Amino acid sequence: MFIYNTLEISINTKSSGEMDFRKEEKSKSLFQKQLENGALKKIVFWVIAGCLLFCIPIFGFNFLNLHSNVNKHLNYLNRIFDDVYDSTAKYLETAENTGAFLRCITHHSDGREVEYSINKYNIASPIRINLILMDQNKRILYSSFEKEKMNLHRIEFNKIVADNVLKGETSIYNTVYYFSGDHSEYVFSKPLYQHQKLVGFVTAYLNGSDWRKLFSDYQYDNILTNLNGNIIYCSKNGFLPERNTNKFKGTFTQNIVTINGIRYLTSARFLTKEKVILYSFIYSSENSLYIITGIFTILFLGSIWLIMFLKLSQMMAAKNAESVGALVDEIRIIRHGDNHHIIAIDTGDEFEEIALQINKMIKS
């Protein structure tokens, strides 16, 4: 019996609530409904527009900032590499150093003069070099390398470089030497002439480990290659597709790549004079969680704004509808024959002014 009564009360309460809601809906005038619908459309529009105006600058700024960092990084790499390239080329082409090379090859001096010029250069240069001098028959007459590094592979490689120097179209020939280990060596080589006659070759090997110190001022990663894809320097071996290789081929378009589970924005630049390609790798965090959180936050705030503005618009519409209703009721009295009826409403808005003007019309 108790359960039955409880259910009956619940049903009656629910029915009563629904009836009250329906009565409230029916009690709303057409004018009030039109005001509320018009206000609701505008509020929804401006809430959505506000959310978009809030999201677009955030994501747009992040996008522009990331791509701006790519250009800054490439400019930095470009400037550093140009300095190293010009410094090494100047060392090989300076008349004083060229004279020391020639005197060593023609046996007019021992290697101490050349060794002094190398030490002097290495003290001031950001990247140290080692030097090999060969005669016209490609026999090595001087080397600043330690004995264990002058293996058969380097000796044969140096002969191939000498052949390519004579075939080259520029005064200095560049290539990359890689045998094993973590670093390759960028190579500068040029022929040496005396009285317009070839007497030998000078080849400079840039220390591969010094590049890391040189680029340590910047937080981003990079790869330097020649046109054949031979790596001059790579900040992380994980960027390479295969281990124990010294090749990398990328694209010049900016795109997002994932390497070992980490996202990077990559871009490249080709240096015409040096015939070198610079690759930039900038860490790009996975922003999906932050984006989703931001969107839900914006939607939550937008919903609060929507409810607040909707309530406000309903209050305003109800007040206007009440004023209109009072004015209509007064006009109906006049319409039913009471021509001397004075409209008396106290709404404190424009409808009160309308009532005043109607009273003046009736008196006249």
Side-chain angles (χ1 to χ4, degrees):
M1 187 68 178
F2 174 75
I3 296 173
Y4 175 79
N5 291 335
T6 303
L7 290 173
E8 185 177 2
I9 292 171
S10 176
I11 292 171
N12 290 336
T13 303
K14 183 177 180 182
S15 300
S16 176
E18 290 179 352
M19 291 175 64
D20 292 341
F21 177 75
R22 289 173 183 173
K23 286 180 181 179
E24 183 182 352
E25 286 293 319
K26 289 181 180 179
S27 66
K28 290 183 178 180
S29 65
L30 181 62
F31 176 72
Q32 183 176 352
K33 290 179 181 179
Q34 289 178 343
L35 284 178
E36 290 181 359
N37 290 334
L40 178 61
K41 290 178 181 179
K42 290 183 178 180
I43 289 170
V44 171
F45 171 78
W46 285 112
V47 167
I48 294 174
C51 291
L52 291 175
L53 291 174
F54 184 76
C55 292
I56 291 173
I58 293 176
F59 299 133
F61 176 78
N62 183 58
F63 175 83
L64 293 175
N65 183 58
L66 193 60
H67 286 263
S68 174
N69 288 338
V70 168
N71 290 327
K72 289 179 181 178
H73 188 214
L74 288 174
N75 291 337
Y76 169 79
L77 296 176
N78 199 157
R79 184 177 68 255
I80 294 297
F81 188 85
D82 283 345
D83 291 343
V84 173
Y85 187 94
D86 294 340
S87 176
T88 308
K90 183 179 179 181
Y91 169 78
L92 295 179
E93 294 179 331
T94 300
E96 180 183 356
N97 295 329
T98 301
F101 303 152
L102 289 172
R103 286 190 291 273
C104 182
I105 292 174
T106 57
H107 305 289
H108 286 86
S109 69
D110 55 18
R112 286 181 295 179
E113 186 180 7
V114 176
E115 184 177 354
Y116 172 78
S117 71
I118 295 172
N119 292 334
K120 181 181 177 181
Y121 174 80
N122 286 341
I123 291 173
S125 176
I127 293 186
R128 296 165 294 171
I129 64 171
N130 279 295
L131 212 65
I132 293 178
L133 295 177
M134 295 189 300
D135 61 14
Q136 70 271 28
N137 298 319
K138 302 171 190 173
R139 292 177 300 185
I140 295 177
L141 303 179
Y142 174 84
S143 172
S144 63
F145 282 103
E146 298 175 358
K147 289 183 179 181
E148 59 270 17
K149 292 188 177 181
M150 282 302 298
N151 50 49
L152 183 61
H153 184 271
R154 190 185 294 273
I155 293 172
E156 293 302 318
F157 174 83
N158 216 61
K159 293 179 181 179
I160 296 172
V161 169
D163 291 333
N164 291 330
V165 166
L166 298 178
K167 298 176 185 177
E169 298 178 355
T170 57
S171 59
I172 293 181
Y173 172 77
N174 296 105
T175 186
V176 177
Y177 175 77
Y178 179 80
F179 181 59
S180 63
D182 297 331
H183 304 290
S184 58
E185 296 171 78
Y186 194 38
V187 179
F188 287 64
S189 186
K190 64 169 290 187
L192 296 172
Y193 294 92
Q194 191 173 47
H195 306 302
Q196 298 182 345
K197 180 182 178 182
L198 178 68
V199 295
F201 306 88
V202 56
T203 305
Y205 292 75
L206 275 65
N207 192 315
S209 61
D210 287 349
W211 288 104
R212 186 176 300 276
K213 298 177 183 177
L214 198 59
F215 293 130
S216 61
D217 292 339
Y218 231 79
Q219 59 179 326
Y220 305 128
D221 293 298
N222 61 287
I223 296 178
L224 313 180
T225 73
N226 62 10
L227 297 184
N228 296 325
N230 297 315
I231 296 173
I232 300 170
Y233 170 73
C234 177
S235 60
K236 284 184 180 178
N237 291 331
F239 292 152
L240 306 182
E242 298 179 8
R243 292 185 177 181
N244 299 322
T245 59
N246 199 55
K247 288 280 188 178
F248 180 82
K249 284 285 188 178
T251 61
F252 286 91
T253 57
Q254 290 188 357
N255 57 341
I256 297 291
V257 298
T258 301
I259 302 173
N260 297 328
I262 302 175
R263 285 161 42 98
Y264 295 92
L265 175 62
T266 66
S267 188
R269 178 178 295 175
F270 172 59
L271 306 185
T272 306
K273 183 182 73 172
E274 299 89 346
K275 295 181 179 179
V276 166
I277 302 174
L278 312 176
Y279 295 96
S280 169
F281 292 80
I282 294 183
Y283 171 70
S284 176
S285 61
E286 186 70 45
N287 293 323
S288 57
L289 179 61
Y290 299 104
I291 292 173
I292 293 172
T293 303
I295 290 174
F296 274 108
T297 302
I298 292 169
L299 290 176
F300 175 72
L301 294 175
S303 300
I304 294 177
W305 296 338
L306 179 60
I307 293 171
M308 291 173 58
F309 291 141
L310 185 58
K311 290 293 184 183
L312 182 61
S313 68
Q314 289 177 345
M315 291 172 58
M316 294 174 63
K319 185 178 183 303
N320 289 335
E322 182 182 357
S323 300
V324 171
L327 182 60
V328 169
D329 290 340
E330 294 289 324
I331 292 175
R332 280 174 181 166
I333 296 173
I334 299 173
R335 190 187 68 178
H336 284 89
D338 189 356
N339 295 330
H340 299 287
H341 178 72
I342 301 300
I343 299 176
I345 61 174
D346 186 16
T347 57
D349 53 20
E350 287 79 2
F351 296 102
E352 185 176 344
E353 177 65 24
I354 293 174
L356 179 62
Q357 297 301 325
I358 292 175
N359 289 333
K360 290 181 179 180
M361 289 172 61
I362 292 173
K363 288 180 181 180
S364 63

